[in-house]
Amino acid sequence: MDKSNNIIRNKGGRTPKTDPSIHRHVFRLTDEENAKLLSLFEASGMPNKAKFIISVLFGKEIKTIIIDKAMLDFYMRLTSFHSQFRSIGVNYNQVVKLLYRNFSEKKAAAYLYKLEKQTAEMAVLCQKIIDLAEEFQTKHLKK
């Protein structure tokens, strides 16, 4: 009988918080004030309004996330250009190997001359892309 009294039984349910939020405050806003509050809340990226309001009231740091669609689009296109240039480099190496394997030395040299002209044009285009990226960075990415 003494052994059964010493067993601690789990009652189940949620463990109580050490410092529960039990005080409630209500305030009213005009339409304009509400719109401003909601826009600030959405820009902060916080999960709920109560935590956002508490952080504003007690001076905690508010994080604002700004997503620039133009910058995101530019980044995606630049990434796709990078992958295309890599694939062109791989194809370039394969073409050179095939030319020397399947054609005579003179014919392969003639085809390589044409390929070299196209490569020079691509290098000029690549330099223009780099210039545009630097211009975009100076104009739009101010830190």
Side-chain angles (χ1 to χ4, degrees):
M1 292 237 165
D2 290 331
K3 290 182 181 179
S4 64
N5 290 339
N6 292 336
I7 297 174
I8 299 173
R9 293 189 179 201
N10 186 1
K11 295 182 181 179
R14 181 190 230 174
T15 56
K17 293 181 179 180
T18 56
D19 187 20
S21 300
I22 57 171
H23 302 285
R24 181 182 172 105
H25 298 277
V26 177
F27 58 96
R28 299 188 186 283
L29 301 173
T30 64
D31 288 337
E32 186 178 305
E33 293 169 339
N34 188 46
K36 187 173 181 179
L37 176 73
L38 291 177
S39 67
L40 288 172
F41 168 67
E42 289 173 3
S44 72
M46 293 187 100
N48 67 37
K49 289 180 200 170
K51 288 186 179 184
F52 170 72
I53 292 170
I54 289 170
S55 68
V56 171
L57 286 175
F58 296 116
K60 294 180 184 174
E61 184 178 332
I62 301 171
K63 294 181 182 177
T64 303
I65 300 170
I66 299 172
I67 298 173
D68 188 3
K69 297 289 184 186
M71 185 176 64
L72 189 62
D73 185 44
F74 179 77
Y75 176 76
M76 295 300 291
R77 289 178 189 255
L78 197 60
T79 304
S80 69
F81 273 138
H82 178 67
S83 64
Q84 288 175 6
F85 280 124
R86 286 184 61 198
S87 64
I88 288 172
V90 171
N91 291 342
Y92 189 91
N93 290 337
Q94 291 174 350
V95 165
V96 170
K97 284 181 186 178
L98 286 173
L99 284 176
Y100 278 113
R101 191 180 326 151
N102 296 330
F103 294 106
S104 66
E105 192 74 28
K106 284 186 175 182
K107 221 174 200 181
Y111 286 130
L112 281 176
Y113 179 73
K114 291 179 182 179
L115 186 62
E116 191 175 318
K117 281 185 177 180
Q118 296 295 322
T119 305
E121 289 178 21
M122 191 173 75
V124 170
L125 180 64
C126 184
Q127 186 59 43
K128 286 181 182 178
I129 291 170
I130 291 170
D131 293 341
L132 283 173
E134 289 174 355
E135 179 184 341
F136 182 81
Q137 185 174 11
T138 55
K139 285 185 179 179
H140 301 288
L141 300 178
K142 299 174 185 174
K143 289 188 178 183

